[in-house]
Amino acid sequence: MQVYTTDTPAARSGRIKVGIADFAVSSDESTLTTSGLGSCIGVALYDPETGVSGLAHAMLPEADDGSEPAKFVDTGVELLIAEMQAVGADTDRIVAKIAGGSTMFDFTSADGDGSIGDRNVAATRTTLDGFGIDVVAEDVGGSHGRSLELDSETGDLRVRSAKSGTHVL
Amino acid sequence: MNLDVRSLRTFSRLAHSGAEKAAGSLTTLAGIDTYVNVTKVELGTKSDVENEFAERDLVSVHIGFSGGLDGHTVLAFSPESAERLVDALMPGIDATDADGELAESSLKEVANIMLGGFIDGWADYLDTTVDITTPTYVDDENDGPLDRVDAEGFENGGDDEHVLVFRNQLEAADNAIEFDLYMVPTAASIGTIVEASGDDGALPVESFAAFSEMINDGATQASEDITAMTGIDTTVEVSRLSFVPIEGVPMSLTDAVRRGVVLEFSGTPSGYIAILFDEPSAENIASSLLPGMEGDEAMRQSAIQEIGNITTSGFLDGWANALETTIDISPPKHVHDIGSAIIDPLATDLAQSQEYAFLIDSTIRTDDDEFTCDIYALPDETELRKALKQLSPAA
């Protein structure tokens, strides 16, 4: 069962909220939002020709067998792309903007592989690269949290942080 | 009666899918997008739940259920959210008119549809029939919010009756309408559900209750220590243990900016603690610790770190005693960021090895809201199970 994945129908309010370990697709100019990215990564995809857009909020880089796919970068992005393709998007046209993946704390559990935030960013690049999708803008790493809004009409990704306010990717 | 992690997962899934059905029926009925934010299985005392209702001035509609399962469901709104929902359902109706009958009956209708859908899922799972009562609207200040909830809980040898509460936070129309869907089954019905999902390796429910009391004691100690240090009179508003899908942990916070500290603790159990203040509270704390001084940012940070240290040791020292162990605490790290983003890396770190988390959250505040402090503790699930075993009556 997909506990937190919303098979979101077109939102009447024009805003679709993407939870954690969740993703959503819009083909009708809605705004996709997600908040509270710390080490988590937000992957915003946009097909400029059809206006189909998608946003995923993943917690960890790689899925194990039988785990909830939307929680992980590799499986979550794959599902997001499939859902966008189902409503007319094409990976030849889709571009990506990514944000998040920060390292806010220096936990004792972090081993030689680097922080979860860094690993999330690396897994995102690898996964997108596998689909031939270019990352055209990014705001990743650092030690602060972010909230995102993807404007499906323009493909603009608004990134909000506590200290530096909002900027557009 | 015993409880184990597997049946808690079953509970959590049933409650979440029930709440999604309920949200879907509101979307259809009112044409406003409704989301289930977080589903929690909470263990607390009846008075904790009552305090929360009273504190937040909640307007609620109650529906009882009986048959294969017995207990109570409640749909609870803040007065503002109730008003906005009524307005969305029947534009132009004045929800605050003298008798408010129309508003009341439309909220009852909403509750009937939502709570009915919620209960159906449980009945299906247990392959049984559950009857629901007609909805009762409760906003009478003289009425104890849980007076109508006649679901008997279970006791832990002490005075406080514990209840297991299934709580779903929902939101609609761009966060303008927020409400909670509660389900409080009777102790016997909890037993029925646990039996249906198997109870391998289960722990007596009393050990969860004992742990919940330990958290209460820790929060009380922390509150006393804050008062002693700052001279600000504080009390524990709420303190509870809940079982949440790991991704639901950061989602229980908003994206409002918070200031505070994050620490690691290690021992049995080990885990993370975040002590967070809203910005005005952080200002008040800093100025009470630096009286008459125009503190710079560095001084403020160290004041917040100091209060974080005091609060953490107050909160955790009792655990070490009750569990007959030592718990070490890392130096506090100052944070000033989006609330949910502060908790996100803590939950994510645990998410590498567990799908669900035991979330401990306590709120310490002053009567006049001058100061609010939220304590979140996230123990490692396996280690917490060890700790709970230690608290079992047989241990």
Side-chain angles (χ1 to χ4, degrees), chain A residues 3-4 11-13 15-17 20 36 38-40 59-60 104-105 107-109 116 119 144-145 160 163, chain B residues 16 33 35 37-39 171 174 247 250-251 255 264 272 333 335-337 340-341 344-346 348-349 352:
Chain A
V3 177
Y4 273 94
R12 282 170 244 215
S13 61
R15 284 171 79 84
I16 301 173
K17 186 176 164 165
I20 301 175
S39 54
C40 287
M59 292 185 96
L60 290 165
M104 298 171 71
F105 309 109
F107 292 139
T108 50
S109 63
I116 294 176
R119 281 156 51 207
H144 61 281
R160 188 173 73 83
K163 289 192 185 81
Chain B
H16 191 79
D33 292 311
Y35 296 90
N37 210 357
V38 189
T39 296
E171 54 184 54
D174 262 354
E247 61 274 24
M251 287 169 76
D255 58 0
E264 273 183 273
Y272 299 108
K333 173 157 169 66
V335 283
H336 186 198
D337 214 317
S340 45
D344 166 78
L346 315 182
T348 302
D349 192 56
Q352 296 179 101

Side-chain angles (χ1 to χ4, degrees), chain A residues 1-139:
Chain A
M1 198 185 81
Q2 299 192 354
V3 177
Y4 273 94
T5 305
T6 37
D7 283 330
T8 318
R12 282 170 244 215
S13 61
R15 284 171 79 84
I16 301 173
K17 186 176 164 165
V18 177
I20 301 175
D22 189 14
F23 64 87
V25 169
S26 159
S27 51
D28 66 349
E29 301 176 1
S30 298
T31 299
L32 298 166
T33 67
T34 197
S35 58
L37 293 158
S39 54
C40 287
I41 185 108
V43 184
L45 302 180
Y46 178 63
D47 176 349
E49 196 171 306
T50 55
V52 172
S53 64
L55 182 64
H57 182 150
M59 292 185 96
L60 290 165
E62 280 122 25
D64 303 323
D65 287 345
S67 41
E68 160 62 41
K71 200 185 274 181
F72 301 89
V73 172
D74 55 353
T75 44
V77 169
E78 191 182 329
L79 279 175
L80 176 64
I81 292 170
E83 203 163 295
M84 288 174 70
Q85 285 171 327
V87 288
D90 191 317
T91 48
D92 288 343
R93 297 186 300 257
I94 293 176
V95 290
K97 294 179 180 178
I98 63 176
S102 76
T103 305
M104 298 171 71
F105 309 109
D106 194 11
F107 292 139
T108 50
S109 63
D111 49 27
D113 302 345
S115 71
I116 294 176
D118 291 342
R119 281 156 51 207
N120 278 337
V121 174
T124 304
R125 295 194 204 285
T126 311
T127 307
L128 290 172
D129 198 44
F131 285 95
I133 295 173
D134 290 335
V135 176
V136 295
E138 63 179 50
D139 175 11

Side-chain angles (χ1 to χ4, degrees), chain B residues 15 38-42 52 56 118 165-169 180-183 238 240:
Chain B
V38 189
T39 296
K40 289 179 174 170
V41 184
E42 290 179 356
E52 194 180 6
R56 293 169 57 199
F118 181 74
V165 178
F166 299 85
R167 175 179 174 179
N168 304 276
Q169 294 171 11
D180 287 312
L181 192 165
Y182 293 84
M183 167 177 163
V238 64
R240 66 192 150 210

